[in-house]
Amino acid sequence: MSEQCNHDCSSCSSDCAERDPKSFLEELNPYSSVKKVIGVVSGKGGVGKSLVTSLLAEAVNKAGYKTAILDADITGPSIPKIFGINEKVAGNDMGIVPAVTSDGIKMISINLLLENTEDPVVWRGPIIAGAVKQFWSEVVWDEVDYMFVDMPPGTGDVPLTVFQSLPVDGIVVVASPQELVEMIVGKAVNMAGMMNIPVLGIVENMSYFVCPNCNEKHFIFGNSHVDDLASKFGIDTVSKIPIDPKLAKLCDEGKISEYKNEHLKEIVEKIEALTK
């Protein structure tokens, strides 16, 4: 502890051992109410975090909970496209009003603020991290039971900002079947451990393909290692999502709400247990 310490962590930039972790938390918009925050993470890109975020939000929403998505992948936003949201968000005296899907899921994404959705976001890390904080503090999240945060890959500025600035209740790790997944999952799980955030489950995306002719499973990217990984890292809930052309087509058309999803049932139950 510094000799000049005034015991007010909120106004101090020192990173001392006695610093209260809660002092990093960003204040929620005063007109908002968010009960639980779930981060969706991975150690690398291209594994389907946005897909899993969307499927989880849809499943929890269909279970009767008021659900929201905060798209923290500022440089690679895809959540609005998956849900078919094209209109821009606007603000009022209370703050930014989020977009709402056809079945009532609230969402915010940088693509809902850009004039052209194909414009690149060429920002440095601190500015991107600041935008994520604004999505939490300046958007009017009215009566949200579960907020899912779609994070960018890796363990850099934005995941750290989310873990420190938002009251994250747990994370879901997304992986793919390749051999190098052990290192990737390990980085995400170990970062969560450093921040004292529980891992609710692991999702293996693109796990297998079911042939429409013979109805047999084919492991396109190799045999699954996810169960062994889960055991190694002490994760007791595993879900596997197959390669499904129907799901890909619905995402391209912005109609993910029409997908009948049973693959994430165990993780959804784990998430629901947070409020019981």
Side-chain angles (χ1 to χ4, degrees), residues 9 24 46 90 120 130 178 207 209 266 272:
C9 294
F24 288 104
Q178 290 91 338
S207 184
F209 172 73
E266 291 81 7
E272 289 182 287

Side-chain angles (χ1 to χ4, degrees), residues 8-250:
D8 182 9
C9 294
S10 63
S11 63
C12 175
S13 60
S14 298
D15 190 17
C16 62
E18 290 78 10
R19 188 176 182 90
D20 180 4
K22 294 181 180 179
S23 64
F24 288 104
L25 291 178
E26 197 76 10
E27 287 190 15
L28 186 63
N29 181 292
Y31 299 100
S32 298
S33 172
V34 179
K35 295 179 181 177
K36 298 293 178 182
V37 178
I38 311 297
V40 181
V41 308
S42 177
K44 71 179 293 294
V47 297
K49 289 182 304 301
S50 296
L51 172 66
V52 172
T53 300
S54 303
L55 289 174
L56 286 172
E58 275 292 336
V60 172
N61 186 64
K62 288 174 180 175
Y65 297 95
K66 295 179 180 178
T67 311
I69 299 176
L70 190 158
D71 188 356
D73 195 352
I74 303 297
T75 60
S78 56
I79 293 294
K81 170 70 174 177
I82 292 174
F83 285 90
I85 301 294
N86 299 306
E87 66 272 14
K88 306 304 176 186
V89 296
N92 56 32
D93 292 341
M94 296 187 294
I96 301 171
V97 179
V100 183
T101 69
S102 58
D103 51 356
I105 298 175
K106 300 179 177 69
M107 72 170 63
I108 190 67
S109 172
I110 196 68
N111 263 6
L112 299 176
L113 296 166
L114 297 176
E115 183 175 344
N116 183 354
T117 58
E118 295 181 358
D119 288 342
V121 179
V122 189
W123 297 346
R124 294 192 183 275
I127 299 176
I128 294 174
V132 173
K133 291 181 181 180
Q134 287 179 290
F135 284 173
W136 173 258
S137 63
E138 296 186 16
V139 175
V140 183
W141 300 110
D142 182 34
E143 295 185 9
V144 172
D145 295 317
Y146 288 101
M147 172 181 284
F148 293 89
V149 182
D150 181 19
M151 293 207 226
T155 55
D157 282 346
V158 174
L160 181 60
T161 295
V162 172
F163 284 156
Q164 290 187 326
S165 301
L166 276 61
V168 180
D169 295 282
I171 66 165
V172 174
V173 180
V174 183
S176 55
Q178 290 91 338
E179 290 262 354
L180 59 84
V181 73
E182 180 173 352
M183 177 187 68
I184 295 162
V185 171
K187 288 180 181 293
V189 171
N190 290 331
M191 183 178 186
M194 291 171 61
M195 309 304 294
N196 296 315
I197 297 172
V199 178
L200 302 176
I202 181 169
V203 177
E204 183 178 71
N205 189 31
M206 301 176 284
S207 184
Y208 55 88
F209 172 73
V210 179
C211 176
N213 296 320
C214 66
N215 206 36
E216 289 187 7
K217 289 183 179 180
H218 298 271
F219 299 92
I220 306 297
F221 296 108
N223 292 328
S224 173
H225 303 278
V226 70
D227 292 308
D228 293 335
L229 278 177
S231 177
K232 176 180 177 179
F233 292 111
I235 302 170
D236 60 7
T237 308
V238 175
S239 295
K240 299 176 183 179
I241 300 177
I243 299 171
D244 188 345
K246 293 180 181 178
L247 175 57
K249 184 174 185 291
L250 289 173

